[in-house]
Amino acid sequence: MTTSFEAAPLAKRLPQGFVLGAATASWQIEGDSAGRGRSIWDDFADVPGNIKDGTKADPACDHVNRLESDLDLLKSLGLDAYRFSVSWPRVMPGAKTASEQGLDFYDRLIDGLLERDIMPALTLYHWDLPSELQAIGGWTNPEIHKYFADYATLLGEKFADRVERWATLNEPWVSAFLGYATKIHAPGLGNPAAGLEAAYRLMTAHASGAVALRAAGAKNVGTVLNLTTAISDDPKVDHIADYVDLLQNRFWLDLLAGRGIDPLLVERTKQFTDWSFVSDQQLAQISKPIDWLGINYYTPFRVVPVSTEGGAWAVGQDFSLFPGTPAGGQMAPREPRTEMGWEIHPQSMTTTLQQTASRLPGVPLYITENGGAFPDNLVDGKVDDQDRISYYHSHISAVADAVDAGVDVRGYFAWSLMDNIEWAEGLTKRFGIVHVDYETMRRTPKASAEFLSALAKAR
Ligand code: FCB
């Protein structure tokens, strides 16, 4: 397949040692729910209407049963690194004792990567909380960080000798605000007060998890946030875009940088919570240095004044996700957009990287997820996804722009290695650089996979 986007000139713009990889997450690809305990996503998927097309955990991409061939596939792409997540209920069913069978799966995964010379980048929590922990309040339980630390210790002791890069959480904003404040994701509470408390307690878990990982010998411990740029299209809504920026970006970076909780947030959320669950001791723990920060970036948040025309629809773009937002604005993603309704605006990835570097100075940054859902067509055994190649080309160029501007960006992971369960969108959205036929489970690398391979080779 040919493309008008050239890999070689882009490759030249990437710094020495820049890591190129692909990412996945356990619940989205693994299948084999019989081999593990239950998670909040299994419970959520059981309720009709929660997942658009009724998709459940099985068979997903049947990755557990296809581990070896998936690793061969990854190797054939020539990427440096693979970012995956561990299913907590697979290695600790019921969040209690360790499962040898579950640990063995990740043992084989990690060894299989190393044998193929691919760097393992492990995320502890990509949203599949054991159901038993949700039963005691989940991320609002004051002791949740202790459970998370036990889980981190288990993984650290088992894998610290072989895993080069560790992330505690994936996108705590999504866990807290799509899962607790609203009902878009599991566990689907729809309680803004719980969302705000979960946001804080997720970060206490990050802190305790990082301590536990390091005690077990893990190096290179970081975390992954979904950060973006909030754009105001009209001075009348500047304060609304600023509030979106506060909850989406600054809240997390302030905690990591030791700036605590912004008084504006406390003021604007007082109808929901008095934040009395915050403790100085925990704030100090959360601000302990991390070795790197991962940023998942897909799209900006564009805010305009409310109009009678109504805003354009986009997955996850709604002010109910930002408890306390001042009235008078609406989200208005512009064309061009992906199938998620997300505006394609690579410049916002550059500004997000620049902003993050100034808000959390001295911490190396990675793009740990970036990619797009597009309406793919499998024709004669090929998927010629030029729209996705264009997305990758413009966004990796945007990373290079940030590097040129002096930001310390060390790597980029495409979301996703393969088509998978896109959470509440089920199988209706394809983000893979590899196409998955859900009937036969056949994997077909798309033209975008060829483009990223060419980019990796051209360095
Ligand atoms: C991110 C998630 C990832 C995937 C992409 C499209 O928010 O981390 O699992 O669903 O969005």
Side-chain angles (χ1 to χ4, degrees):
M1 278 170 275
T2 53
T3 173
S4 49
F5 299 97
E6 281 188 78
L10 182 54
K12 287 210 182 62
R13 298 192 60 201
L14 302 176
Q16 273 284 325
F18 191 85
V19 175
L20 275 178
T24 63
S26 48
W27 198 81
Q28 294 180 278
I29 66 165
E30 284 182 355
D32 183 46
S33 65
R36 58 165 173 76
R38 280 181 74 83
S39 81
I40 53 174
W41 271 93
D42 303 315
D43 301 334
F44 189 73
D46 274 352
V47 179
N50 275 350
I51 296 196
K52 215 178 203 174
D53 57 357
T55 296
K56 301 206 178 197
D58 295 302
C61 303
D62 196 30
H63 172 65
V64 166
N65 295 313
R66 288 162 204 266
L67 179 61
E68 287 300 317
S69 52
D70 281 345
L71 290 172
D72 289 341
L73 171 71
L74 192 54
K75 176 72 192 162
S76 73
L77 301 180
L79 299 174
D80 313 313
Y82 177 52
R83 174 175 178 252
F84 63 96
S85 77
V86 171
S87 158
W88 189 346
R90 189 177 294 287
V91 299
M92 274 184 135
K96 284 205 183 79
T97 44
S99 153
E100 282 312 317
Q101 188 197 332
L103 287 168
D104 174 65
F105 170 69
Y106 297 104
D107 220 23
R108 287 185 286 119
L109 168 55
I110 291 162
D111 284 346
L113 289 169
L114 296 174
E115 278 157 23
R116 290 166 181 83
D117 210 19
I118 302 165
M119 180 214 292
L122 187 157
T123 302
L124 272 71
Y125 184 70
H126 199 131
W127 308 350
D128 39 2
L129 188 74
S131 301
E132 293 77 3
L133 291 181
Q134 191 57 49
I136 56 165
W139 293 111
T140 60
N141 182 307
E143 307 270 279
I144 194 67
H145 61 284
K146 296 188 182 157
Y147 290 93
F148 190 69
D150 287 348
Y151 169 49
T153 300
L154 174 71
L155 294 186
E157 285 179 349
K158 184 85 184 163
F159 301 126
D161 56 338
R162 285 164 290 157
V163 169
E164 171 141 356
R165 186 165 299 283
W166 295 81
T168 52
L169 306 175
N170 178 74
E171 303 188 0
W173 178 84
V174 171
S175 298
F177 295 108
L178 274 77
Y180 284 67
T182 62
K183 300 180 178 186
I184 304 171
H185 274 193
L189 301 190
N191 175 347
L196 294 162
E197 182 167 353
Y200 171 75
R201 296 211 186 277
L202 277 151
M203 292 307 278
T204 66
H206 151 73
S208 301
V211 169
L213 285 173
R214 290 208 173 97
K219 310 256 177 335
N220 253 326
V221 178
T223 198
V224 173
L225 302 173
N226 57 315
L227 303 178
T228 187
T229 297
I231 304 172
S232 164
D233 269 358
D234 187 312
K236 285 202 280 295
V237 291
D238 281 359
H239 64 298
I240 302 177
D242 178 72
Y243 191 73
V244 168
D245 179 48
L246 172 54
L247 254 189
Q248 179 80 37
N249 305 315
R250 273 148 39 206
F251 172 74
W252 315 95
L253 296 171
D254 283 350
L255 286 176
L256 290 173
R259 291 185 291 264
I261 311 228
D262 194 313
L264 176 64
L265 181 60
V266 176
E267 170 62 26
R268 290 222 58 93
T269 54
K270 63 178 183 223
Q271 52 180 315
F272 305 116
T273 179
D274 60 6
W275 294 88
S276 55
F277 46 81
V278 174
S279 88
D280 287 344
Q281 191 217 340
Q282 286 180 331
L283 286 177
Q285 263 224 341
I286 300 171
S287 69
K288 291 224 178 96
I290 47 176
D291 299 306
W292 59 277
L293 177 73
I295 298 176
N296 294 352
Y297 171 90
Y298 290 91
T299 187
F301 280 124
R302 187 181 294 280
V303 183
V304 299
V306 175
S307 79
T308 44
E309 285 156 40
W313 170 88
V315 175
Q317 299 207 346
D318 186 317
F319 286 121
S320 61
L321 293 164
F322 300 89
T325 307
Q330 66 188 37
M331 301 274 189
R334 284 197 197 151
E335 299 297 334
R337 304 194 291 147
T338 69
E339 260 201 310
M340 299 289 274
W342 295 346
E343 176 173 345
I344 302 175
H345 196 252
Q347 302 92 302
S348 286
M349 182 141 106
T350 310
T351 53
T352 299
L353 282 163
Q354 289 174 301
Q355 250 173 19
T356 307
S358 67
R359 290 167 174 177
L360 192 65
V363 178
L365 303 179
Y366 288 78
I367 293 293
T368 32
E369 283 182 30
N370 177 241
F374 295 98
D376 292 331
N377 291 310
L378 181 67
V379 180
D380 298 333
K382 290 187 165 45
V383 179
D384 193 15
D385 55 341
Q386 295 297 325
D387 34 17
R388 190 173 286 104
I389 294 179
S390 165
Y391 185 97
Y392 280 126
H393 184 273
S394 60
H395 284 80
I396 297 171
S397 301
V399 173
D401 291 345
V403 171
D404 290 348
V407 181
D408 183 9
V409 196
R410 308 245 179 119
Y412 175 96
F413 291 77
W415 183 271
S416 173
L417 171 64
M418 57 182 123
D419 294 336
N420 56 48
I421 307 177
E422 179 42 39
W423 305 110
E425 300 297 304
L427 298 175
T428 65
K429 303 287 185 293
R430 293 179 179 269
F431 272 92
I433 57 172
V434 172
H435 178 273
V436 177
D437 178 326
Y438 294 114
E439 297 288 310
T440 63
M441 289 296 153
R442 191 189 169 89
R443 275 73 163 140
T444 307
K446 304 177 190 176
S448 55
E450 287 176 26
F451 174 74
L452 291 175
S453 294
L455 182 67
K457 282 198 197 87
R459 287 170 304 167

